[in-house]
Amino acid sequence: MSIQTENRELILSWYDEYSDLIVKYIASMIKDGYQAEDIMQETFLKAFQYIEKNQIQYPKTFLFRIAHNVTIDYLRKQKPIDFVKELFAKDEGASVEDIMEVREESKELFLAIRKLKPAYKQVIILRKIEEFSIADTASILNWSESKVKSTLFRALHALEKQLVKGGFMHGTS
């Protein structure tokens, strides 16, 4: 089997494993499912071009970093920038009322996240929603691990203030 065929098979396996996660991540940043699909496709194209010359040790982190960079490039071209995450868990055993309650709470949370500055939104989405490790988040954002930790700390504090300000939770003081 040729190297190009091996690379094609590798990208296809990564696509099968990670494409849904990546498109959700992108959609959380741009709030446009169709555009998120296009950016996800571009992510895998760039990954394929890169692996022709390089070996990848951690494909999930590698792909999310490409997705992050391609999405940021897209957002730089857009006005205004709109970051929102619309992830609603689907629980087969939940009642309609339960699902609506979760959706309302999620909507409040994501509306509050939307009002945060971009760095705070990115670190909250990657660490708390996508559940990446500190090291993986640092790699995706091209930050140091200490910057991820300190930014997340500040972001969560800002998110709490935003939720209190919006009346979604009571102040702790």
Side-chain angles (χ1 to χ4, degrees), residues 160-161 163-173:
E160 181 181 7
K161 280 180 148 177
L163 289 168
V164 169
K165 181 180 174 184
F168 301 124
M169 63 184 276
H170 301 297
T172 55
S173 34

Side-chain angles (χ1 to χ4, degrees), residues 81 83 112-125 143 147 150-151 154-155 158-159 162:
I81 295 176
F83 290 92
I113 291 172
R114 181 181 186 183
K115 294 178 182 178
L116 299 176
K117 66 184 194 175
Y120 288 1
K121 291 178 220 175
Q122 292 168 358
V123 75
I124 287 174
I125 289 170
W143 293 355
K147 181 175 180 178
S150 63
T151 304
R154 290 185 199 109
L159 178 59
Q162 196 61 251

Side-chain angles (χ1 to χ4, degrees), residues 26-45:
I26 295 167
S28 75
M29 294 175 67
I30 66 170
K31 194 185 176 187
D32 181 341
Y34 294 112
Q35 187 62 43
E37 289 278 340
D38 290 346
I39 293 172
M40 184 264 302
Q41 296 293 333
E42 186 177 343
T43 296
F44 281 93
L45 179 62

